[in-house]
Amino acid sequence: MTKTWVLLSLLLSLLPITAFADAAVGDMTVTLGQNLTEEQKRTLLSEMNAPQGVEILTVTNAEEHQYLGNHIPKRLIGTKAISSSAITHEDSGTGLKVQTKNINWVTEEMYINALATAGVKNASIYITAPVSVSGTAALTGIIKAYEVSSDKAIPEDVKQAANEEMVKTAKLGDEVGSDKAAALMTKIKENMAENPPETEAEVRDIIETSAKDLGITLTDAQIQSLVDLFNKLKDLNIDWNQVGTQLDKAKEKLTTFLQSEEGQTFLDKLKGFFGSLIDAIKALFS
């Protein structure tokens, strides 16, 4: 009997501990900016409906600079970490849902796209701050919380790429409109999932085709910026089909755009173009 227990103990010791560390559906993890006051922390935890004993992680300003320093000026990152978030794990197939408060630059769809790129999945995420902020620093905390709660490390280059995507999309939103920028990123990812590009030329073609399909006019500089980003993502072994399954909420924005007056105007123009083309062909043979 003693030998049996010794053997059983040995087998149990060989089992991966991480198997027991995976978060259960409904589990919440909170991240709080290091420079929040105690009163601000209490207010945000109440706002998040965080349960007693919830796991709380601290995000530092140094971490914000680590992931954003290459993409936006340091003065815009600032010297204080105040953005905070709560991530709640959901059932498989739920996808990503994001709600924000006091975030004035990065939209919910931009977060969803960047988080899907990073490999975060099936979660409800709440992002907030005690005052109005750009929201760029929040992604650092969300990814950190996801790694800890799910016990799944996300490669550093993927984290950097997700932050770069978020910033570039927000900048593009300043130039063409937030809805257009978010819809374009979603469309590009859908097309990459259907036809994974192998070369930079194929990446460029997907971007230009996606923009054309949505009636979005991009400058050469904007196209090149997106080519640089997605060419980098192409080499990171990202599962674009998995990314696509997380984008249901972002796809709703894409559908909303296509159903908008602006989107319908583009589709009408497209129909008119093909109608004129058909009439010209008929005239040629008559």
Side-chain angles (χ1 to χ4, degrees), residues 131-145:
V131 295
S132 183
V133 296
S134 68
T136 52
L139 190 65
T140 300
I142 300 167
I143 292 176
K144 182 176 183 178

Side-chain angles (χ1 to χ4, degrees), residues 20-248:
F20 301 96
D22 287 349
V25 172
D27 283 355
M28 176 188 285
T29 302
V30 168
T31 70
L32 296 176
Q34 185 181 39
N35 299 107
L36 293 169
T37 66
E38 291 304 313
E39 182 179 353
Q40 287 172 332
K41 291 177 182 178
R42 288 192 294 270
T43 299
L44 292 184
L45 287 172
S46 175
E47 183 184 308
M48 295 171 179
N49 294 317
Q52 287 289 331
V54 68
E55 183 170 17
I56 299 175
L57 306 176
T58 298
V59 177
T60 68
N61 186 245
E63 288 175 305
E64 294 175 347
H65 279 273
Q66 177 184 351
Y67 292 107
L68 291 168
N70 292 330
H71 311 303
I72 58 177
K74 291 184 178 181
R75 62 180 175 80
L76 296 180
I77 304 173
T79 59
K80 294 182 178 181
I82 61 173
S83 295
S84 302
S85 64
I87 179 169
T88 304
H89 290 264
E90 304 288 359
D91 287 313
S92 177
T94 301
L96 293 171
K97 302 174 184 177
V98 173
Q99 183 181 357
T100 63
K101 180 181 179 181
N102 282 337
I103 304 300
N104 61 33
W105 194 41
V106 182
T107 68
E108 294 172 0
E109 291 74 29
M110 291 176 192
Y111 282 121
I112 290 173
N113 264 294
L115 289 166
T117 293
V120 177
K121 56 185 179 181
N122 302 318
S124 294
I125 297 157
Y126 183 75
I127 303 164
T128 186
V131 295
S132 183
V133 296
S134 68
T136 52
L139 190 65
T140 300
I142 300 167
I143 292 176
K144 182 176 183 178
Y146 182 76
E147 285 185 303
V148 171
S149 61
S150 64
D151 203 25
K152 296 176 182 177
I154 296 173
E156 287 299 308
D157 52 0
V158 174
K159 293 180 193 176
Q160 287 285 353
N163 277 276
E164 180 180 353
E165 175 187 335
M166 175 187 64
V167 172
K168 283 193 173 184
T169 310
K171 287 180 178 178
L172 183 63
D174 288 339
E175 297 164 355
V176 304
S178 297
D179 287 352
K180 285 185 178 181
L184 177 59
M185 299 302 278
T186 304
K187 185 68 172 177
I188 291 171
K189 289 179 180 180
E190 281 188 319
N191 287 336
M192 288 187 78
E194 292 176 4
N195 298 291
E198 296 182 359
T199 66
E200 182 174 325
E202 291 176 348
V203 170
R204 181 180 294 275
D205 183 62
I206 286 176
I207 291 168
E208 291 178 345
T209 299
S210 299
K212 185 177 180 181
D213 287 346
L214 296 177
I216 299 173
T217 302
L218 299 176
T219 65
D220 290 341
Q222 290 166 343
I223 292 173
Q224 188 58 54
S225 178
L226 291 173
V227 169
D228 292 341
L229 170 65
F230 280 97
N231 196 49
K232 184 183 299 182
L233 296 177
K234 171 181 69 66
D235 297 328
L236 293 180
N237 296 318
I238 292 172
D239 183 346
W240 292 106
N241 285 309
Q242 176 62 46
V243 169
T245 63
Q246 301 302 312
L247 295 179
D248 285 346

